[in-house]
Amino acid sequence: MKLYSAPGTCATAIHIALEWIGKPYEVEHLSMKQMKEPEYLKLNPSGVVPTFVNNEIPYTEAAAILFHLTDAFPEAELGPAVGGENRAEFYRWISFLSGTLHPYYWLHFVPSRFTTDEEGTEAVQEASHVMIDKALTQIDNHLANRPYMLGEKKSVVDALLYPMASWGYGLPKPTSEYPNIHDLVKRLASEEAVTNVHRSQGTHPKV
Ligand SMILES: N[C@@H](CCC(=O)N[C@@H](CS)C(=O)NCC(=O)O)C(=O)O
């Protein structure tokens, strides 16, 4: 198993999931430039991370990879089983993080991609902060009466939230102002699996 990742990105979630699975894997950290090279584009035509390769089959899209790993390694209990209680919540939150929260961050990190007005990037970022706050508030409220996103049990939803909540520490309203998310990030950051991921990336927890 091989993961193509980059430090601090959403691919961190897949890296955490591989640590939780506990089987041998390798990781290659790519630069933004390497993600656009023809060899890599053959694996991931979007030119982004993550890409997960197993038995020479490349898998792309963080959400799809997390669903796949959950079903391929049931013994690792990365999420609820197909047809089981909570599976719909599992789809819901992976979709929300990947399809709603994550794109809001693009406006913050690469605002120039979302306006043709050279003077307009600051306004794009400001708009993103409003949208990110709306999504993080929803997540924080959800976590008010449960320790993990799916209830009492940790899952790859929490792994996907980890990098996205970590990005928020650099925003005008930092993640520390969402107490339940902040608490979950702290608990995950103290895990050996997450420490191993940070070591491999050469990064540190934001908490
Ligand atoms: N929809 C894709 C988005 C992946 C994505 O945006 N990855 C970012 C890192 S978090 C990236 O590689 N960005 C490089 C770029 O946009 O050029 C997924 O969920 O896998």
Side-chain angles (χ1 to χ4, degrees):
M1 299 195 285
K2 176 164 180 177
L3 171 66
Y4 292 88
S5 183
T9 62
C10 60
T12 300
I14 319 298
H15 200 161
I16 293 172
L18 289 171
E19 280 288 317
W20 286 345
I21 289 167
K23 295 206 188 302
Y25 67 90
E26 62 173 299
V27 183
E28 185 174 338
H29 294 293
L30 302 179
S31 65
M32 291 284 263
K33 189 165 166 275
Q34 287 171 317
M35 291 176 207
K36 312 298 181 239
E37 283 171 3
E39 272 311 295
Y40 183 68
L41 290 174
K42 280 187 211 157
L43 297 176
N44 187 326
S46 299
V48 296
V49 291
T51 301
F52 172 69
V53 182
N54 195 11
N55 294 326
E56 296 181 20
I57 301 170
Y59 299 82
T60 65
E61 291 296 323
I65 298 167
L66 291 174
F67 289 134
H68 172 67
L69 290 176
T70 301
D71 296 342
F73 299 96
E75 67 284 0
E77 299 188 15
L78 301 177
V82 177
E85 199 190 329
N86 243 0
R87 183 73 183 197
E89 280 290 284
F90 184 39
Y91 291 131
R92 170 194 175 196
W93 285 112
I94 292 282
S95 304
F96 183 80
L97 294 177
S98 174
T100 298
L101 178 57
H102 191 187
Y104 292 161
Y105 274 109
W106 297 337
L107 305 178
H108 169 75
F109 286 119
V110 276
S112 57
R113 287 184 184 169
F114 298 92
T115 176
T116 51
D117 176 4
E118 278 178 22
E119 315 275 298
T121 53
E122 214 171 297
V124 170
Q125 281 185 319
E126 274 173 29
S128 82
H129 300 158
V130 175
M131 301 310 287
I132 293 168
D133 176 43
K134 200 170 153 219
L136 290 181
T137 300
Q138 189 184 147
I139 294 167
D140 200 56
N141 290 341
H142 177 75
L143 284 170
N145 48 9
R146 44 180 76 74
Y148 296 105
M149 287 299 287
L150 296 185
E152 295 302 315
K153 255 186 120 173
K154 191 175 68 178
S155 72
V156 285
V157 179
D158 306 297
L160 189 54
L161 179 59
Y162 184 77
M164 296 188 191
S166 298
W167 301 334
Y169 285 93
L171 295 180
K173 181 175 173 185
T175 303
S176 48
E177 291 185 25
Y178 305 87
N180 304 312
I181 301 177
H182 184 52
D183 180 68
L184 177 52
V185 172
K186 273 199 282 193
R187 278 181 282 127
L188 291 170
S190 68
E191 273 195 18
E192 192 185 342
V194 177
T195 304
N196 290 343
V197 170
H198 279 296
R199 190 179 305 113
S200 158
Q201 293 186 342
T203 57
H204 298 282
K206 302 288 181 202
V207 285

